[in-house]
Amino acid sequence: MNSLATILILLLSLLQSVWGEQEISLLFAGDAMQHGPQINAARLKDGSFDYSPCFALLEDEIKAADYAVVNLECPLGGTPYSGYPAFSAPDAFARQLSDSGFDLLLTANNHCLDRRDAGLRRTIATLDAMNIAHTGTFLSQQHRREVSPMIVDVKGLRIAMLSYTYGTNGIPIQGSVVVNCIDRKSIAADIDAARAQGAQAVCVNLHWGIEYRLLPVESQRELAHWLVEEKGVDLVIGGHPHVIEPMEMRHSLRWNKDALLVYSMGNFISNQTDCNSRGGAMVCVSITTQGGKIKKLSANYRLFFCQKPSKATNRAPGSSNYQLIPSYRPDLIRPDSRQAFISFMDNARSIFGKHNVAVTEAPDPTAPATLPSRPYLDGSITSLLLR
Protein backbone atom coordinates (compact mmCIF):
# COMPACT_ATOMS: atom_id res chain seq x y z
CA MET A 1 0.00 0.00 0.00
CA ASN A 2 2.83 2.38 0.85
CA SER A 3 4.57 1.53 -2.42
CA LEU A 4 1.36 2.18 -4.37
CA ALA A 5 0.89 5.52 -2.62
CA THR A 6 4.46 6.49 -3.44
CA ILE A 7 3.96 5.60 -7.11
CA LEU A 8 0.73 7.63 -7.24
CA ILE A 9 2.45 10.63 -5.68
CA LEU A 10 5.28 10.40 -8.22
CA LEU A 11 2.78 10.15 -11.08
CA LEU A 12 0.85 13.15 -9.82
CA SER A 13 4.08 15.10 -9.50
CA LEU A 14 5.03 14.18 -13.06
CA LEU A 15 1.63 15.20 -14.40
CA GLN A 16 1.86 18.49 -12.53
CA SER A 17 5.25 19.24 -14.06
CA VAL A 18 3.98 18.41 -17.55
CA TRP A 19 0.47 19.88 -17.45
CA GLY A 20 0.36 22.12 -14.39
CA GLU A 21 1.53 25.72 -14.17
CA GLN A 22 5.18 26.34 -13.38
CA GLU A 23 6.76 29.62 -12.27
CA ILE A 24 10.26 30.38 -13.57
CA SER A 25 12.39 33.41 -12.73
CA LEU A 26 15.24 34.74 -14.87
CA LEU A 27 17.57 37.62 -14.00
CA PHE A 28 19.74 39.68 -16.35
CA ALA A 29 22.47 42.22 -15.55
CA GLY A 30 24.52 44.53 -17.75
CA ASP A 31 28.20 45.13 -18.38
CA ALA A 32 30.58 43.68 -15.79
CA MET A 33 33.79 45.64 -16.37
CA GLN A 34 37.23 45.79 -14.77
CA HIS A 35 39.01 49.13 -15.06
CA GLY A 36 42.46 49.58 -13.57
CA PRO A 37 41.28 51.17 -10.30
CA GLN A 38 38.88 48.26 -9.75
CA ILE A 39 41.70 45.75 -10.14
CA ASN A 40 43.83 47.72 -7.68
CA ALA A 41 40.99 47.97 -5.17
CA ALA A 42 40.46 44.20 -5.20
CA ARG A 43 44.16 43.34 -4.93
CA LEU A 44 45.25 41.93 -1.57
CA LYS A 45 48.72 42.13 -0.02
CA ASP A 46 49.53 38.57 -1.06
CA GLY A 47 48.77 39.37 -4.71
CA SER A 48 45.41 37.61 -4.82
CA PHE A 49 42.10 39.37 -5.47
CA ASP A 50 38.95 39.70 -3.38
CA TYR A 51 35.75 40.78 -5.16
CA SER A 52 33.33 39.47 -2.54
CA PRO A 53 32.32 42.94 -1.22
CA CYS A 54 31.34 44.12 -4.71
CA PHE A 55 28.10 42.16 -5.13
CA ALA A 56 27.25 41.20 -1.55
CA LEU A 57 24.17 43.43 -1.28
CA LEU A 58 22.66 42.04 -4.51
CA GLU A 59 23.55 38.39 -3.99
CA ASP A 60 20.25 37.39 -2.41
CA GLU A 61 18.28 38.60 -5.43
CA ILE A 62 20.70 37.10 -7.93
CA LYS A 63 20.73 33.72 -6.20
CA ALA A 64 16.95 33.75 -5.80
CA ALA A 65 16.51 33.65 -9.58
CA ASP A 66 16.24 30.25 -11.22
CA TYR A 67 18.75 31.39 -13.85
CA ALA A 68 20.90 34.54 -13.90
CA VAL A 69 22.90 36.04 -16.78
CA VAL A 70 25.54 38.82 -16.92
CA ASN A 71 27.82 40.25 -19.62
CA LEU A 72 31.53 39.60 -18.92
CA GLU A 73 32.95 42.67 -20.66
CA CYS A 74 36.61 41.89 -20.10
CA PRO A 75 38.68 38.93 -21.24
CA LEU A 76 40.51 36.78 -18.73
CA GLY A 77 43.72 37.34 -20.64
CA GLY A 78 46.15 36.71 -17.81
CA THR A 79 48.91 39.00 -16.55
CA PRO A 80 49.70 41.80 -16.82
CA TYR A 81 46.17 42.79 -15.80
CA SER A 82 44.87 45.97 -17.37
CA GLY A 83 41.85 48.20 -17.66
CA TYR A 84 40.66 50.45 -20.46
CA PRO A 85 41.30 50.50 -23.38
CA ALA A 86 42.57 46.90 -23.57
CA PHE A 87 41.05 44.92 -20.70
CA SER A 88 42.43 41.83 -19.00
CA ALA A 89 40.77 40.96 -15.70
CA PRO A 90 41.90 38.61 -12.94
CA ASP A 91 40.29 35.18 -13.06
CA ALA A 92 38.92 35.87 -9.57
CA PHE A 93 36.52 38.42 -11.04
CA ALA A 94 34.67 35.78 -13.08
CA ARG A 95 34.84 33.38 -10.14
CA GLN A 96 33.11 35.94 -7.93
CA LEU A 97 30.38 36.63 -10.50
CA SER A 98 29.63 32.90 -10.45
CA ASP A 99 29.83 32.65 -6.67
CA SER A 100 27.44 35.60 -6.39
CA GLY A 101 24.79 33.67 -8.29
CA PHE A 102 25.26 34.17 -12.03
CA ASP A 103 24.72 30.99 -14.03
CA LEU A 104 25.83 32.27 -17.44
CA LEU A 105 28.50 34.75 -18.55
CA LEU A 106 28.12 36.35 -21.98
CA THR A 107 31.41 36.84 -23.84
CA ALA A 108 30.36 38.35 -27.19
CA ASN A 109 31.19 42.04 -26.76
CA ASN A 110 33.45 44.70 -28.23
CA HIS A 111 36.26 43.95 -25.74
CA CYS A 112 36.42 40.17 -26.19
CA LEU A 113 39.52 40.48 -28.42
CA ASP A 114 41.37 43.04 -26.28
CA ARG A 115 44.09 40.43 -25.70
CA ARG A 116 43.65 39.17 -29.24
CA ASP A 117 42.98 35.50 -30.07
CA ALA A 118 45.13 34.25 -27.19
CA GLY A 119 43.07 36.20 -24.66
CA LEU A 120 39.83 34.88 -26.09
CA ARG A 121 41.12 31.30 -25.96
CA ARG A 122 42.37 31.77 -22.40
CA THR A 123 39.00 33.20 -21.34
CA ILE A 124 37.18 30.13 -22.64
CA ALA A 125 39.70 27.72 -21.10
CA THR A 126 39.57 29.49 -17.73
CA LEU A 127 35.77 29.58 -17.57
CA ASP A 128 35.62 25.92 -18.58
CA ALA A 129 38.15 25.02 -15.88
CA MET A 130 36.02 26.84 -13.28
CA ASN A 131 32.89 25.10 -14.62
CA ILE A 132 31.26 28.46 -15.44
CA ALA A 133 28.83 28.42 -18.36
CA HIS A 134 29.48 30.94 -21.14
CA THR A 135 28.47 31.67 -24.71
CA GLY A 136 29.21 34.15 -27.50
CA THR A 137 32.83 33.30 -28.38
CA PHE A 138 34.35 30.00 -29.49
CA LEU A 139 37.70 28.34 -30.16
CA SER A 140 36.80 27.43 -33.74
CA GLN A 141 33.87 26.84 -36.06
CA GLN A 142 33.95 23.19 -35.00
CA HIS A 143 33.79 24.22 -31.34
CA ARG A 144 30.87 26.54 -32.13
CA ARG A 145 28.97 23.73 -33.83
CA GLU A 146 29.53 21.51 -30.79
CA VAL A 147 28.31 23.92 -28.10
CA SER A 148 25.99 26.35 -29.91
CA PRO A 149 23.16 27.14 -29.88
CA MET A 150 23.24 26.92 -26.09
CA ILE A 151 19.99 25.51 -24.67
CA VAL A 152 19.52 25.52 -20.90
CA ASP A 153 16.86 23.64 -18.96
CA VAL A 154 15.29 25.91 -16.35
CA LYS A 155 12.74 23.99 -14.28
CA GLY A 156 11.69 22.02 -17.33
CA LEU A 157 11.59 24.92 -19.81
CA ARG A 158 14.25 24.63 -22.51
CA ILE A 159 15.56 28.13 -23.25
CA ALA A 160 18.01 29.00 -26.03
CA MET A 161 20.59 31.54 -24.81
CA LEU A 162 22.19 33.32 -27.76
CA SER A 163 24.79 36.12 -27.60
CA TYR A 164 26.04 38.54 -30.29
CA THR A 165 28.08 41.76 -30.56
CA TYR A 166 28.11 44.63 -33.04
CA GLY A 167 31.91 44.34 -33.34
CA THR A 168 35.30 44.03 -31.62
CA ASN A 169 36.63 47.60 -31.67
CA GLY A 170 38.19 46.99 -35.06
CA ILE A 171 40.47 44.22 -33.77
CA PRO A 172 40.59 41.44 -36.38
CA ILE A 173 40.59 37.73 -35.68
CA GLN A 174 44.00 36.32 -36.57
CA GLY A 175 43.38 32.60 -36.19
CA SER A 176 40.54 30.11 -35.85
CA VAL A 177 38.56 31.69 -33.01
CA VAL A 178 34.96 32.75 -33.59
CA VAL A 179 33.06 35.76 -32.26
CA ASN A 180 29.29 35.84 -32.69
CA CYS A 181 28.64 39.11 -34.50
CA ILE A 182 25.24 40.65 -35.18
CA ASP A 183 24.20 39.31 -38.57
CA ARG A 184 20.57 38.54 -39.31
CA LYS A 185 21.32 35.49 -41.44
CA SER A 186 23.50 33.96 -38.72
CA ILE A 187 21.06 34.84 -35.93
CA ALA A 188 18.13 33.39 -37.90
CA ALA A 189 20.05 30.16 -38.48
CA ASP A 190 20.85 29.88 -34.76
CA ILE A 191 17.22 30.47 -33.77
CA ASP A 192 16.01 27.87 -36.25
CA ALA A 193 18.64 25.38 -35.04
CA ALA A 194 17.69 25.99 -31.41
CA ARG A 195 14.03 25.29 -32.10
CA ALA A 196 14.94 22.18 -34.09
CA GLN A 197 16.87 20.99 -31.02
CA GLY A 198 13.85 21.45 -28.76
CA ALA A 199 14.11 25.02 -27.47
CA GLN A 200 10.73 26.16 -26.15
CA ALA A 201 11.82 29.79 -25.67
CA VAL A 202 14.52 31.94 -27.25
CA CYS A 203 16.55 34.69 -25.57
CA VAL A 204 18.80 36.84 -27.77
CA ASN A 205 21.43 38.85 -25.87
CA LEU A 206 22.77 41.75 -27.93
CA HIS A 207 25.80 44.01 -27.49
CA TRP A 208 24.56 46.96 -29.55
CA GLY A 209 23.59 50.62 -29.67
CA ILE A 210 25.47 53.87 -29.08
CA GLU A 211 27.45 54.47 -25.92
CA TYR A 212 25.97 56.90 -23.37
CA ARG A 213 22.67 57.41 -25.23
CA LEU A 214 19.66 57.01 -22.94
CA LEU A 215 17.32 56.07 -25.79
CA PRO A 216 17.78 53.35 -28.43
CA VAL A 217 18.67 54.31 -31.99
CA GLU A 218 16.68 53.24 -35.04
CA SER A 219 18.97 50.29 -35.84
CA GLN A 220 18.25 48.81 -32.40
CA ARG A 221 14.51 49.27 -32.82
CA GLU A 222 14.54 47.69 -36.28
CA LEU A 223 16.54 44.66 -35.14
CA ALA A 224 14.34 44.20 -32.08
CA HIS A 225 11.21 44.35 -34.27
CA TRP A 226 12.67 41.76 -36.66
CA LEU A 227 13.59 39.41 -33.82
CA VAL A 228 10.13 39.61 -32.24
CA GLU A 229 7.89 39.75 -35.29
CA GLU A 230 9.84 37.74 -37.87
CA LYS A 231 11.63 35.20 -35.67
CA GLY A 232 9.26 34.96 -32.70
CA VAL A 233 11.95 35.59 -30.08
CA ASP A 234 10.68 35.73 -26.49
CA LEU A 235 13.42 37.87 -24.89
CA VAL A 236 15.68 40.51 -26.43
CA ILE A 237 18.21 41.62 -23.81
CA GLY A 238 20.65 44.43 -24.62
CA GLY A 239 23.85 45.94 -23.33
CA HIS A 240 26.87 48.08 -24.35
CA PRO A 241 25.72 51.74 -24.08
CA HIS A 242 26.92 51.79 -20.39
CA VAL A 243 23.73 53.65 -19.49
CA ILE A 244 20.19 52.40 -19.11
CA GLU A 245 17.74 52.47 -22.01
CA PRO A 246 14.00 51.67 -21.93
CA MET A 247 12.30 48.30 -21.64
CA GLU A 248 9.00 47.22 -23.08
CA MET A 249 6.64 44.27 -23.07
CA ARG A 250 5.39 43.92 -26.63
CA HIS A 251 2.60 41.70 -27.94
CA SER A 252 3.25 40.02 -31.26
CA LEU A 253 0.06 39.54 -33.25
CA ARG A 254 1.83 37.21 -35.66
CA TRP A 255 2.93 34.83 -32.93
CA ASN A 256 0.10 35.67 -30.51
CA LYS A 257 2.41 36.04 -27.54
CA ASP A 258 4.25 38.66 -25.49
CA ALA A 259 7.95 39.40 -25.84
CA LEU A 260 10.26 41.44 -23.63
CA LEU A 261 12.60 44.06 -25.11
CA VAL A 262 15.39 45.47 -22.94
CA TYR A 263 17.49 47.93 -24.92
CA SER A 264 20.21 48.44 -22.28
CA MET A 265 20.65 47.61 -18.60
CA GLY A 266 23.60 49.97 -18.20
CA ASN A 267 26.75 48.98 -16.34
CA PHE A 268 26.72 46.21 -13.80
CA ILE A 269 30.04 47.30 -12.31
CA SER A 270 32.66 49.71 -13.64
CA ASN A 271 34.84 52.70 -12.81
CA GLN A 272 33.14 55.04 -15.26
CA THR A 273 32.53 58.55 -13.94
CA ASP A 274 29.52 60.01 -15.78
CA CYS A 275 26.53 59.97 -13.42
CA ASN A 276 24.40 57.92 -15.84
CA SER A 277 27.16 55.29 -15.99
CA ARG A 278 27.45 54.96 -12.21
CA GLY A 279 24.74 52.33 -11.93
CA GLY A 280 22.43 50.04 -13.79
CA ALA A 281 19.34 47.87 -13.70
CA MET A 282 18.89 44.17 -13.07
CA VAL A 283 15.93 42.86 -15.02
CA CYS A 284 13.83 40.21 -13.32
CA VAL A 285 11.70 38.11 -15.68
CA SER A 286 8.83 35.94 -14.48
CA ILE A 287 7.62 33.18 -16.79
CA THR A 288 4.53 31.09 -16.17
CA THR A 289 4.55 27.87 -18.16
CA GLN A 290 1.93 25.20 -18.72
CA GLY A 291 2.41 22.03 -20.70
CA GLY A 292 5.90 23.10 -21.72
CA LYS A 293 4.70 26.38 -23.21
CA ILE A 294 4.91 29.96 -21.99
CA LYS A 295 1.50 31.06 -20.69
CA LYS A 296 2.46 34.42 -19.20
CA LEU A 297 5.51 36.70 -19.33
CA SER A 298 6.16 39.67 -17.05
CA ALA A 299 9.16 41.66 -15.87
CA ASN A 300 10.36 44.33 -13.49
CA TYR A 301 13.71 45.93 -12.72
CA ARG A 302 15.92 46.72 -9.74
CA LEU A 303 18.10 49.84 -9.84
CA PHE A 304 21.48 49.91 -8.10
CA PHE A 305 24.44 52.27 -7.79
CA CYS A 306 28.17 51.56 -7.92
CA GLN A 307 29.86 53.22 -4.96
CA LYS A 308 33.60 53.59 -5.46
CA PRO A 309 36.17 53.44 -2.65
CA SER A 310 36.58 56.75 -0.87
CA LYS A 311 39.62 58.79 -1.81
CA ALA A 312 41.02 58.29 1.68
CA THR A 313 40.96 54.48 1.54
CA ASN A 314 41.68 54.17 -2.18
CA ARG A 315 45.32 55.00 -1.45
CA ALA A 316 45.70 51.64 0.29
CA PRO A 317 45.12 48.74 -2.16
CA GLY A 318 42.74 46.16 -0.75
CA SER A 319 41.55 48.36 2.10
CA SER A 320 38.31 49.24 0.35
CA ASN A 321 36.45 48.09 -2.72
CA TYR A 322 33.73 48.94 -5.19
CA GLN A 323 30.25 48.06 -3.96
CA LEU A 324 26.90 47.79 -5.71
CA ILE A 325 24.20 49.35 -3.55
CA PRO A 326 20.51 48.72 -4.30
CA SER A 327 18.23 51.73 -4.64
CA TYR A 328 16.41 50.94 -1.39
CA ARG A 329 19.59 51.31 0.70
CA PRO A 330 20.39 55.06 0.45
CA ASP A 331 21.57 54.85 4.06
CA LEU A 332 24.73 53.14 2.77
CA ILE A 333 25.65 56.00 0.44
CA ARG A 334 28.58 58.10 1.68
CA PRO A 335 28.27 61.90 1.61
CA ASP A 336 30.81 62.13 -1.21
CA SER A 337 28.65 59.81 -3.37
CA ARG A 338 25.23 61.27 -2.59
CA GLN A 339 24.88 63.65 -5.51
CA ALA A 340 25.95 61.01 -8.04
CA PHE A 341 23.50 58.53 -6.48
CA ILE A 342 20.70 61.09 -6.65
CA SER A 343 21.44 61.99 -10.28
CA PHE A 344 21.65 58.40 -11.43
CA MET A 345 18.44 57.30 -9.73
CA ASP A 346 16.42 60.34 -10.81
CA ASN A 347 17.62 60.16 -14.43
CA ALA A 348 17.01 56.41 -14.69
CA ARG A 349 13.52 56.68 -13.22
CA SER A 350 12.73 59.58 -15.52
CA ILE A 351 13.69 57.59 -18.63
CA PHE A 352 11.91 54.44 -17.49
CA GLY A 353 8.86 56.41 -16.37
CA LYS A 354 8.47 58.08 -19.76
CA HIS A 355 9.42 55.23 -22.09
CA ASN A 356 8.96 51.83 -20.45
CA VAL A 357 5.96 49.76 -21.51
CA ALA A 358 4.54 47.41 -18.87
CA VAL A 359 7.88 47.00 -17.08
CA THR A 360 7.95 48.63 -13.65
CA GLU A 361 10.36 48.96 -10.76
CA ALA A 362 10.54 46.06 -8.32
CA PRO A 363 9.18 46.82 -4.86
CA ASP A 364 11.50 47.53 -1.96
CA PRO A 365 11.94 44.13 -0.27
CA THR A 366 12.57 45.81 3.10
CA ALA A 367 9.34 47.85 3.12
CA PRO A 368 6.28 46.68 5.10
CA ALA A 369 3.59 45.32 2.83
CA THR A 370 1.17 48.04 3.93
CA LEU A 371 3.49 50.90 2.94
CA PRO A 372 4.55 52.23 -0.48
CA SER A 373 7.51 50.35 -1.94
CA ARG A 374 9.63 53.51 -2.05
CA PRO A 375 10.48 55.90 0.80
CA TYR A 376 9.42 58.89 -1.28
CA LEU A 377 6.38 59.77 -3.34
CA ASP A 378 7.44 62.45 -5.79
CA GLY A 379 9.99 60.44 -7.80
CA SER A 380 12.93 62.27 -6.30
CA ILE A 381 15.30 60.97 -3.63
CA THR A 382 16.94 64.31 -2.98
CA SER A 383 14.84 65.17 0.07
CA LEU A 384 15.39 61.71 1.55
CA LEU A 385 19.17 61.88 1.35
CA LEU A 386 19.80 65.52 2.11
CA ARG A 387 17.25 66.21 4.81
Side-chain angles (χ1 to χ4, degrees), residues 70-85:
V70 67
N71 173 46
L72 179 66
E73 191 151 3
C74 46
L76 308 176
T79 57
Y81 303 122
S82 57
Y84 183 83

Side-chain angles (χ1 to χ4, degrees), residues 53-116:
C54 298
F55 316 118
L57 295 174
L58 299 181
E59 277 191 5
D60 285 349
E61 284 193 73
I62 298 169
K63 291 179 177 179
D66 294 315
Y67 201 80
V69 182
V70 67
N71 173 46
L72 179 66
E73 191 151 3
C74 46
L76 308 176
T79 57
Y81 303 122
S82 57
Y84 183 83
F87 292 101
S88 182
D91 300 349
F93 180 58
R95 176 76 274 166
Q96 187 60 57
L97 288 170
S98 176
D99 288 347
S100 294
F102 287 105
D103 300 287
L104 175 65
L105 305 188
L106 306 174
T107 57
N109 53 64
N110 58 307
H111 288 288
C112 65
L113 285 175
D114 279 5
R115 287 291 177 91
R116 305 309 192 266

Side-chain angles (χ1 to χ4, degrees), residues 123-368:
T123 301
I124 291 174
T126 301
L127 294 175
D128 285 346
M130 293 191 290
N131 199 29
I132 298 174
H134 57 90
T135 191
T137 56
F138 310 92
L139 299 174
S140 64
Q141 286 291 353
Q142 177 62 31
H143 180 228
R144 186 182 190 277
R145 285 191 290 270
E146 292 171 355
V147 300
S148 179
M150 172 179 277
I151 301 176
V152 298
D153 188 307
V154 185
K155 295 174 70 173
L157 183 68
R158 291 172 55 80
I159 307 173
M161 288 288 177
L162 309 177
S163 172
Y164 307 89
T165 178
Y166 75 91
T168 57
N169 290 341
I171 301 173
I173 290 174
Q174 298 172 321
S176 63
V177 301
V178 177
V179 178
N180 272 357
C181 288
I182 295 174
D183 172 78
R184 294 193 185 191
K185 183 177 180 181
S186 177
I187 295 173
D190 288 344
I191 294 170
D192 293 344
R195 291 207 173 102
Q197 294 174 31
Q200 297 158 304
V202 177
C203 174
V204 177
N205 300 273
L206 297 169
H207 210 68
W208 62 351
I210 306 300
E211 291 182 319
Y212 314 116
R213 287 183 60 109
L214 292 166
L215 294 175
V217 294
E218 189 59 29
S219 60
Q220 289 170 273
R221 295 184 184 277
E222 290 177 354
L223 181 55
H225 179 82
W226 176 78
L227 286 167
V228 171
E229 295 299 337
E230 296 299 320
K231 300 306 299 179
V233 167
D234 301 277
L235 304 170
V236 179
I237 308 294
H240 171 65
H242 302 302
V243 296
I244 60 92
E245 292 180 348
M247 316 166 186
E248 63 176 278
M249 194 67 67
R250 178 182 298 184
H251 185 76
S252 170
L253 293 176
R254 175 178 178 179
W255 299 88
N256 190 29
K257 66 178 183 179
D258 291 336
L260 174 66
L261 307 182
V262 177
Y263 286 104
S264 175
M265 295 171 287
N267 285 329
F268 185 56
I269 192 167
S270 81
N271 185 55
Q272 292 189 311
T273 57
D274 178 81
C275 71
N276 291 326
S277 301
R278 290 291 303 275
M282 294 193 306
V283 178
C284 307
V285 181
S286 178
I287 301 175
T288 303
T289 65
Q290 187 170 35
K293 296 181 179 180
I294 295 177
K295 182 179 179 181
K296 182 180 178 182
L297 185 68
S298 62
N300 58 31
Y301 62 87
R302 166 80 62 217
L303 291 174
F304 57 87
F305 177 81
C306 181
Q307 183 160 255
K308 303 179 182 183
S310 68
K311 293 180 180 179
T313 57
N314 201 30
R315 297 192 185 98
S319 64
S320 185
N321 212 325
Y322 290 68
Q323 187 177 38
L324 302 184
I325 299 179
S327 57
Y328 55 84
R329 292 302 308 272
D331 55 300
L332 298 179
I333 300 297
R334 297 190 312 267
D336 61 308
S337 298
R338 283 180 178 178
Q339 190 54 55
F341 178 83
I342 291 167
S343 296
F344 170 75
M345 293 293 168
D346 283 350
N347 290 351
R349 288 188 172 115
S350 176
I351 290 294
F352 288 155
K354 292 177 182 177
H355 300 282
N356 275 18
V357 178
V359 183
T360 59
E361 187 168 0
D364 176 355
T366 67

